[in-house]
Short mmCIF file of all heavy atoms in Angstrom, two decimals:
data_model
loop_
_atom_site.label_atom_id
_atom_site.label_comp_id
_atom_site.label_asym_id
_atom_site.label_seq_id
_atom_site.Cartn_x
_atom_site.Cartn_y
_atom_site.Cartn_z
N LYS A 144 -36.28 3.80 11.18
CA LYS A 144 -35.01 3.42 11.72
C LYS A 144 -34.41 2.21 11.01
O LYS A 144 -35.11 1.60 10.18
CB LYS A 144 -35.12 3.22 13.22
CG LYS A 144 -35.39 4.49 14.01
CD LYS A 144 -35.27 4.22 15.51
CE LYS A 144 -35.63 5.45 16.34
NZ LYS A 144 -35.56 5.18 17.79
N MET A 145 -33.23 1.81 11.41
CA MET A 145 -32.50 0.72 10.73
C MET A 145 -33.18 -0.65 10.89
O MET A 145 -33.21 -1.47 9.97
CB MET A 145 -31.03 0.71 11.23
CG MET A 145 -30.11 -0.21 10.42
SD MET A 145 -30.08 0.15 8.66
CE MET A 145 -30.30 -1.46 7.94
N PHE A 146 -33.63 -0.94 12.11
CA PHE A 146 -34.10 -2.30 12.36
C PHE A 146 -35.54 -2.37 12.95
O PHE A 146 -35.95 -3.38 13.47
CB PHE A 146 -33.13 -3.03 13.27
CG PHE A 146 -31.76 -3.23 12.68
CD1 PHE A 146 -30.65 -2.51 13.18
CD2 PHE A 146 -31.54 -4.07 11.58
CE1 PHE A 146 -29.42 -2.65 12.64
CE2 PHE A 146 -30.29 -4.21 11.04
CZ PHE A 146 -29.22 -3.52 11.54
N CYS A 147 -36.24 -1.21 12.91
CA CYS A 147 -37.61 -1.20 13.39
C CYS A 147 -38.41 -0.14 12.63
O CYS A 147 -37.82 0.58 11.80
CB CYS A 147 -37.66 -0.90 14.93
SG CYS A 147 -37.02 0.72 15.37
N GLY A 148 -39.69 -0.03 12.92
CA GLY A 148 -40.56 0.88 12.16
C GLY A 148 -40.64 2.29 12.77
O GLY A 148 -41.44 3.10 12.31
N CYS A 149 -39.86 2.59 13.86
CA CYS A 149 -39.92 3.89 14.46
C CYS A 149 -39.48 5.00 13.47
O CYS A 149 -38.61 4.75 12.68
CB CYS A 149 -39.04 3.94 15.67
SG CYS A 149 -39.64 2.91 17.05
N ARG A 150 -40.05 6.18 13.62
CA ARG A 150 -39.72 7.29 12.71
C ARG A 150 -38.31 7.77 12.93
O ARG A 150 -37.83 7.87 14.03
CB ARG A 150 -40.72 8.43 12.93
CG ARG A 150 -42.13 8.05 12.44
CD ARG A 150 -42.95 9.23 11.98
NE ARG A 150 -42.85 10.38 12.87
CZ ARG A 150 -42.73 11.65 12.42
NH1 ARG A 150 -42.66 11.90 11.10
NH2 ARG A 150 -42.68 12.65 13.28
N ASN A 160 -40.03 8.38 19.77
CA ASN A 160 -39.88 7.50 18.62
C ASN A 160 -39.10 6.25 19.06
O ASN A 160 -37.96 6.08 18.65
CB ASN A 160 -39.20 8.22 17.46
CG ASN A 160 -40.08 9.33 16.87
OD1 ASN A 160 -41.28 9.10 16.68
ND2 ASN A 160 -39.54 10.45 16.66
N VAL A 161 -39.74 5.45 19.89
CA VAL A 161 -39.06 4.27 20.42
C VAL A 161 -40.01 3.08 20.43
O VAL A 161 -41.20 3.24 20.41
CB VAL A 161 -38.54 4.53 21.84
CG1 VAL A 161 -37.37 5.50 21.83
CG2 VAL A 161 -39.63 5.00 22.78
N CYS A 162 -39.40 1.84 20.44
CA CYS A 162 -40.22 0.63 20.49
C CYS A 162 -39.36 -0.44 21.12
O CYS A 162 -38.18 -0.20 21.41
CB CYS A 162 -40.67 0.25 19.10
SG CYS A 162 -39.31 -0.45 18.07
N PRO A 163 -39.90 -1.60 21.37
CA PRO A 163 -39.07 -2.66 22.00
C PRO A 163 -37.82 -2.95 21.28
O PRO A 163 -36.78 -3.27 21.88
CB PRO A 163 -40.03 -3.88 22.03
CG PRO A 163 -41.40 -3.28 22.10
CD PRO A 163 -41.31 -2.02 21.25
N VAL A 164 -37.79 -2.88 19.93
CA VAL A 164 -36.57 -3.24 19.18
C VAL A 164 -35.46 -2.22 19.45
O VAL A 164 -34.38 -2.59 19.85
CB VAL A 164 -36.87 -3.33 17.65
CG1 VAL A 164 -35.57 -3.51 16.87
CG2 VAL A 164 -37.83 -4.45 17.35
N CYS A 165 -35.76 -0.91 19.28
CA CYS A 165 -34.69 0.09 19.45
C CYS A 165 -34.44 0.41 20.92
O CYS A 165 -33.44 1.06 21.26
CB CYS A 165 -34.95 1.36 18.63
SG CYS A 165 -36.50 2.11 18.94
N LEU A 166 -35.27 -0.13 21.83
CA LEU A 166 -34.97 0.00 23.25
C LEU A 166 -34.25 -1.25 23.76
O LEU A 166 -33.89 -1.37 24.95
CB LEU A 166 -36.25 0.19 24.07
CG LEU A 166 -36.88 1.60 23.93
CD1 LEU A 166 -38.21 1.63 24.65
CD2 LEU A 166 -35.96 2.68 24.44
N GLY A 167 -34.04 -2.18 22.83
CA GLY A 167 -33.24 -3.38 23.21
C GLY A 167 -33.95 -4.32 24.22
O GLY A 167 -33.32 -4.92 25.03
N PHE A 275 -33.66 8.10 23.60
CA PHE A 275 -33.42 6.94 22.71
C PHE A 275 -34.03 7.19 21.31
O PHE A 275 -34.08 6.26 20.51
CB PHE A 275 -33.97 5.66 23.31
CG PHE A 275 -33.18 5.19 24.46
CD1 PHE A 275 -33.68 5.23 25.76
CD2 PHE A 275 -31.87 4.76 24.30
CE1 PHE A 275 -32.91 4.78 26.86
CE2 PHE A 275 -31.10 4.31 25.38
CZ PHE A 275 -31.61 4.33 26.66
N ASN A 276 -34.49 8.40 20.99
CA ASN A 276 -35.04 8.64 19.65
C ASN A 276 -33.98 8.33 18.57
O ASN A 276 -34.33 7.87 17.48
CB ASN A 276 -35.45 10.10 19.53
CG ASN A 276 -36.81 10.37 20.15
OD1 ASN A 276 -37.51 9.43 20.56
ND2 ASN A 276 -37.17 11.67 20.28
N ALA A 278 -31.52 6.19 18.90
CA ALA A 278 -31.07 4.79 18.98
C ALA A 278 -31.66 4.01 17.82
O ALA A 278 -32.89 3.95 17.65
CB ALA A 278 -31.43 4.16 20.27
N GLY A 279 -30.83 3.41 17.01
CA GLY A 279 -31.32 2.61 15.86
C GLY A 279 -31.49 3.37 14.57
O GLY A 279 -31.93 2.78 13.57
ZN1 ZN B 737 -38.00 1.35 17.31
#
Side-chain angles (χ1 to χ4, degrees):
K144 292 188 183 180
M145 189 58 228
F146 297 110
C147 63
C149 291
R150 292 209 313 139
N160 293 317
V161 290
C162 74
V164 173
C165 55
L166 288 174
F275 288 112
N276 281 349

